[in-house]
Every structure is written in C-alpha cells, then in structure tokens.
Amino acid sequence: MTKNKVVALVNLWDQFEADHPGADLADFCRHYLLSQQAEPASDPHEKRIPLEGRLSAAIYRMNKFTQFYARKLMVDTPMSNMEDFIYLATVLDHEQGDMRKSEVIHRNFSEFTSGISVIRRLVDRQFLEEYDDPDDARSRRVRITPLGRATLYQSLGSLGHLAQIMYDCLTDAEKRLALRILYKATQHHAHHYPHNRGLSGGEIVNYMTGKGIEEG
C-alpha cells in the first residue's frame, strides 16, 4: 500500500472515530468495507432525489413494514397496536415502576393529545392504573397493573419474531453498523426534540439547519 493510501485510510479512521465515539477498529473495518460496496439497484428516477430524501423515504418504508408485520403478529394478543405495547413497556422499564403521564408521553416523542388517548385506552383496559401524584397536585401518575404486566409478557412472545422478520436479511456487521448510525441520529433528535416541540415547521428548519442549533 502506498504512503498516500495509508494516509487516506488513517484520515478515514480519524473521521470515523470522531463521528462514532467508542467505536473500535473492527467497527471501522465493517464501516469501510460496507462503504466500498456499490449502492443497490433502484428506480432510475430516485437518483434525482437528494441523498437525504432517499434515506428518509427508506426509513419511512421500513417503518411501514414494521407496522404491517407488528399488526399481523399481534392479532392473537390482547394488545391492539404497537404503540400500546411500547407505552406499557416504557412504564414497566422505568426504575421507579411508575411515571407521570406527561413523562410517558414525552419519553415516546408523542403529541400530548395522542399520548393521552393511548394512556386512557390502557387505563380503560386495566393495563395501567392512574392515580394522583403525591408530589404535585397538578399531575397524575400511572403504574402497570398485574394484568398489564401479564399482557405485556404474553405479547413479547409474538413480537419476538418481529426483529427476526425485519432484519434477517442483513449480516451481523450490517446490523451493527446500522444500529450505530441510527443511534447517533436518534440521540441527536432526542436532544433537540424538547426545544422543537413548541416551534413551527419553519422555525424548526431554521434551528436545525441554521446557526440556531449552534447558539442553542
């Protein structure tokens, strides 16, 4: 390998390490090898769409596939949809075993009105129990009931196949790389989401793509 190629490879490793703190050499090698692969064949008109647009479309389609398979797998479970499952799991996984309703909603990045509807449905089905917050008279808390816990565990058996169905087409190296990249993007948006919740669409564009994100 010539000196110039070694320098280029070191520079790529340096950039990868800066973009992915905690990554090791094996992670870089997987990233580098995958980056050298040709893009999969696609509809010619998609080539005219900016890279970010194509990525957004791909993620949107994967979300639709996830919802489709989840509905099929949940038919024989007491859960009515994936969102109910995620809300129950959020409360169960919380270290205190109970949460403020607003906290559950914000943890799942939901609009307040739609989040309240999910919680109300889970309370009506006796999967969650709602009660006054002893530390704040203005707030209400929820905790998972024995029925909710049993239902959640029952649904886990069916949904355990979801990830296998969705991602068996990828190699382990591809899964690790995809997870690292999506985790980086998720952490970025989770950090800025509280600020963006009260902004208009135009204000979000200005903040996320302009100097506002650097000043904020």
Side-chain angles (χ1 to χ4, degrees):
M1 182 179 290
T2 65
K3 182 179 178 181
N4 287 340
K5 289 182 178 179
V6 171
V7 171
L9 193 59
V10 170
N11 288 336
L12 287 172
W13 160 247
D14 185 61
Q15 184 60 55
F16 177 81
E17 194 173 33
D19 291 341
H20 304 87
D24 57 23
L25 183 59
D27 291 325
F28 170 70
C29 291
R30 284 189 290 266
H31 167 79
Y32 178 77
L33 291 174
L34 288 172
S35 71
Q36 301 308 299
Q37 295 179 6
E39 284 193 40
S42 60
D43 191 323
H45 86 275
E46 288 192 356
K47 295 294 185 181
R48 299 193 297 268
I49 302 175
L51 181 61
E52 294 84 356
R54 288 155 59 194
L55 177 60
S56 296
I59 292 174
Y60 173 80
R61 290 171 188 149
M62 287 299 290
N63 182 53
K64 299 296 286 186
F65 289 136
T66 300
Q67 294 179 27
F68 167 75
Y69 291 125
R71 285 195 302 269
K72 294 289 186 179
L73 291 169
M74 296 178 78
V75 166
D76 297 324
T77 75
M79 290 286 174
S80 58
N81 58 68
M82 193 68 180
E83 198 165 32
D84 287 3
F85 176 88
I86 292 172
Y87 267 59
L88 270 186
T90 299
V91 178
L92 179 65
D93 287 344
H94 193 256
E95 58 185 10
Q96 302 297 328
D98 67 342
M99 300 175 70
R100 287 178 179 166
K101 291 166 64 174
S102 58
E103 188 180 6
V104 181
I105 294 169
H106 294 159
R107 186 74 63 89
N108 288 291
F109 310 112
S110 299
E111 294 294 331
F112 191 76
T113 51
S114 60
I116 286 294
S117 296
V118 175
I119 292 174
R120 184 180 298 118
R121 180 166 61 244
L122 293 171
V123 171
D124 289 343
R125 302 189 68 184
Q126 300 182 343
F127 296 157
L128 288 178
E129 177 185 4
E130 183 178 358
Y131 60 99
D132 293 330
D133 189 332
D135 300 321
D136 186 350
R138 298 167 301 175
S139 299
R140 300 275 285 171
R141 302 183 75 87
V142 289
R143 59 180 163 232
I144 194 165
T145 65
L147 176 61
R149 186 184 299 266
T151 300
L152 187 64
Y153 289 148
Q154 179 184 345
S155 300
L156 274 174
S158 297
L159 288 175
H161 299 293
L162 179 59
Q164 185 178 9
I165 291 171
M166 289 294 298
Y167 301 111
D168 253 11
C169 58
L170 303 178
T171 66
D172 285 351
E174 289 169 334
K175 292 171 191 174
R176 292 190 187 97
L177 180 59
L179 180 61
R180 188 177 292 279
I181 292 170
L182 290 175
Y183 181 77
K184 176 183 177 180
T186 300
Q187 290 296 99
H188 172 77
H189 290 289
H191 174 73
H192 294 290
Y193 175 75
H195 175 83
N196 289 334
R197 279 172 48 216
L199 302 183
S200 67
E203 289 170 332
I204 290 175
V205 171
N206 180 63
Y207 173 72
M208 295 296 286
T209 63
K211 292 184 178 179
I213 198 170
E214 300 173 357
E215 299 169 353

